[in-house]
């Protein structure tokens, strides 16, 4: 009985963390009707399991050394990512083979594709992905053929990457690939904070007829750790807010189609 109580308390706390990203000792004590001493013991047990990370005054979801946390980022700019995902899903034609990158914005596209599958009886496609989250979003739809890349699994990102994933990818061809992005600048182009994912993205672009990048406004002007694509290597940018004039001008000169998720599409060049 005691173990069952502890399990339920742990699940409740993890649900709070997925919603808020961080929970203090006082907040947990009030929500669980426990003493602060009992909450600290609960925190210690969950930390020993690797489920939480201790911070001053409370706990947060575990993060990588670079600060990445999928569950927390999934809630960041969620409405904007949702609009981007819906807009991207509308660009898919029945019968196409797609590559879907990992990341929280592409996940919103996967959810939107699931809605199209539920609403459109004649809609079907093949999706290749390195993301467990995308797999979960689409696995319930028989008209979506799913292929999951193998490789080294990263628990925080919920994805696979590395040499095995790249060897799998070299066997395939896509009509379209949809990639996430950690930064976009005129100097560096499209960039990522993850070396192994950048390598996988470059390979996916080589194997695809059309490349689209999905990103919200917060990434404009930011330079990630490594560039995975110069501006003219990308066919379309799907975002929620128009970038400033400097970036917009460089995109236009590079022939990138700028698609705004609010329905106001601006074309910088035809898709190649």
């Amino acid at each position: 009985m005691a173990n069952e109580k502890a399990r339920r308390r742990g699940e409740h706390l993890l649900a709070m963390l997925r919603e808020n990203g961080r929970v203090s000792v006082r907040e947990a004590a009030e929500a669980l009707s426990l003493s602060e001493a009992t909450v600290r013991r609960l925190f210690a047990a969950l930390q020993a399991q690797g489920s939480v990370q201790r911070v001053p005054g409370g706990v947060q979801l575990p993060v990588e050394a670079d600060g990445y946390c999928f569950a927390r980022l999934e809630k960041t700019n969620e409405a904007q990512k949702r609009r981007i995902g819906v807009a991207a899903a509308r660009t898919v034609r029945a019968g196409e083979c797609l590559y879907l990158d990992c990341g929280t914005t592409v996940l919103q596209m996967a959810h939107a594709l699931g809605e199209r599958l539920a609403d459109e009886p004649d809609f079907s496609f093949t999706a290749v992905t390195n993301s467990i989250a995308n797999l979960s979003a689409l696995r319930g739809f028989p008209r979506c053929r799913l292929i999951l890349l193998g490789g080294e699994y990263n628990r925080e990102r919920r994805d696979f990457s590395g040499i095995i994933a790249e060897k799998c990818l070299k066997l395939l061809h896509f009509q379209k690939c949809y990639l996430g992005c950690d930064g976009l600048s005129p100097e560096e182009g499209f960039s990522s904070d993850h070396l192994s994912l950048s390598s996988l993205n470059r390979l996916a672009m080589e194997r695809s007829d059309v490349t689209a990048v999905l990103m919200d406004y917060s990434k404009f002007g930011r330079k990630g750790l490594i560039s995975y694509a110069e501006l003219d290597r990308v066919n379309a940018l799907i975002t929620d807010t128009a970038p400033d004039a400097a970036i917009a001008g460089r995109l236009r000169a590079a022939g990138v189609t700028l698609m705004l998720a609010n329905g106001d599409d601006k074309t910088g060049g035809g898709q190649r």
Side-chain angles (χ1 to χ4, degrees):
M1 181 65 71
N3 288 339
E4 179 63 19
K5 283 185 177 179
R7 185 187 65 80
R8 289 200 301 269
R9 289 168 178 170
E11 290 178 351
H12 191 167
L13 178 62
L14 290 174
M16 292 173 64
L17 284 169
R18 285 190 288 270
E19 181 68 24
N20 302 307
R22 180 177 295 195
V23 174
S24 70
V25 172
R26 178 176 297 179
E27 289 168 339
E30 292 176 354
L32 299 173
S33 299
L34 298 173
S35 69
E36 293 190 0
T38 301
V39 166
R40 290 190 179 91
R41 288 194 293 271
L42 175 61
F43 285 177
L46 290 173
Q47 182 183 34
Q49 297 170 13
S51 300
V52 304
Q53 179 178 325
R54 297 295 288 270
V55 294
V59 291
Q60 67 180 18
L61 291 170
V63 299
E64 292 185 21
D66 61 7
Y68 188 91
C69 176
F70 190 101
R72 187 180 71 249
L73 290 176
E74 193 174 5
K75 299 296 182 182
T76 303
N77 298 329
E78 187 174 13
Q80 293 90 335
K81 292 175 181 178
R82 167 65 182 168
R83 291 198 296 272
I84 294 167
V86 169
R90 290 176 184 151
T91 68
V92 176
R93 296 177 180 176
E96 289 185 322
C97 181
L98 318 174
Y99 178 74
L100 301 180
D101 185 19
C102 58
T104 56
T105 306
V106 180
L107 175 59
Q108 289 295 337
M109 179 185 178
H111 286 308
L113 285 170
E115 292 167 5
R116 284 194 63 186
L117 287 166
D119 295 339
E120 303 174 29
D122 297 327
F123 183 58
S124 64
F125 60 92
T126 296
V128 179
T129 187
N130 65 328
S131 165
I132 290 289
N134 292 341
L135 179 73
S136 297
L138 292 168
R139 66 184 178 183
F141 300 98
R143 283 180 282 109
C144 174
R145 182 185 184 189
L146 279 170
I147 300 172
L148 179 67
L149 296 181
E152 183 177 1
Y153 182 60
N154 185 288
R155 289 175 177 80
E156 288 307 318
R157 292 199 308 262
R158 304 179 189 176
D159 62 38
F160 294 89
S161 61
I163 190 170
I164 297 174
E166 292 178 16
K167 286 190 173 183
C168 292
L169 203 55
K170 289 178 181 178
L171 300 172
L172 304 170
H173 175 265
F174 316 105
Q175 275 73 52
K176 295 171 183 171
C177 71
Y178 296 86
L179 305 177
C181 184
D182 292 320
L184 168 59
S185 70
E187 302 82 13
E188 300 294 331
F190 298 91
S191 58
S192 170
D193 291 327
H194 306 285
L195 299 178
S196 60
L197 291 179
S198 292
S199 179
L200 199 63
N201 283 354
R202 284 195 294 268
L203 184 56
M205 293 169 64
E206 293 174 5
R207 308 298 300 167
S208 180
D209 296 333
V210 173
T211 295
V213 173
L214 281 58
M215 56 178 285
D216 66 74
Y217 71 94
S218 67
K219 312 296 178 58
F220 293 145
R222 184 180 183 277
K223 297 179 182 180
L225 178 63
I226 184 170
S227 172
Y228 68 79
E230 297 79 11
L231 296 181
D232 61 4
R233 293 284 290 114
V234 169
N235 301 95
L237 170 62
I238 307 175
T239 186
D240 60 303
T241 304
D244 64 30
I247 293 178
R250 293 290 291 272
L251 290 170
R252 187 164 50 251
V256 180
T257 297
L258 178 61
M259 300 179 61
L260 299 184
N262 60 12
D264 179 18
D265 294 355
K266 297 183 179 180
T267 302
Q271 288 197 352
R272 303 180 295 280

